[in-house]
Amino acid sequence: MGLSGKVKTGTFDLSPTILQAVVGGKMEWGIDAQQYAMGYISVAMFDLWKKYKIMPIADYPTGPGFVTKDTAASVIELSKQGKR
């Protein structure tokens, strides 16, 4: 449609193709929100608290992790390896 560069876009995807688009300025950002961890970790912790009155002492960064033009190039290789 010829709108590249005219319409700002972002996505919930950090594939190498998307990261190249971010590096090239065709997309504004990608987000890695790790939906599985966001849902699973909280449920698992509440279950531990309810059953045993214990709560693990740790931070569990589950996102969102914004990747912008400033940082996209540094994560492309990791994305190709399937790392988040």
Side-chain angles (χ1 to χ4, degrees), residues 4 7 14 20 23 33 36-38 46 56 60 69-70 77 80:
S4 182
V7 175
L14 290 183
Q20 289 290 356
V23 169
Y36 173 79
M38 291 170 72
F46 283 122
Y60 294 93
K69 189 173 183 175
D70 296 335
E77 284 305 314
K80 288 179 183 178

Side-chain angles (χ1 to χ4, degrees), residues 6 14 26 32 34-35 43-44 46 53 58 64 74 78 81:
K6 297 177 184 175
L14 290 183
K26 293 180 180 177
D32 183 17
Q34 299 194 34
Q35 294 84 352
V43 171
F46 283 122
K53 299 296 185 233
S74 66
L78 294 172
Q81 297 170 25

Side-chain angles (χ1 to χ4, degrees), residues 7-80:
V7 175
K8 294 182 180 185
T9 58
T11 185
F12 287 87
D13 182 8
L14 290 183
S15 66
T17 302
I18 293 297
L19 293 170
Q20 289 290 356
V22 173
V23 169
K26 293 180 180 177
M27 295 191 84
E28 294 291 311
W29 47 263
I31 298 176
D32 183 17
Q34 299 194 34
Q35 294 84 352
Y36 173 79
M38 291 170 72
Y40 174 77
I41 295 294
S42 57
V43 171
M45 285 190 172
F46 283 122
D47 185 57
L48 286 172
W49 179 254
K50 183 175 181 183
K51 287 181 181 176
Y52 310 110
K53 299 296 185 233
I54 60 171
M55 182 65 69
I57 302 172
D59 289 332
Y60 294 93
T62 59
F66 281 85
V67 178
T68 64
K69 189 173 183 175
D70 296 335
T71 57
S74 66
V75 296
I76 290 174
E77 284 305 314
L78 294 172
S79 178
K80 288 179 183 178

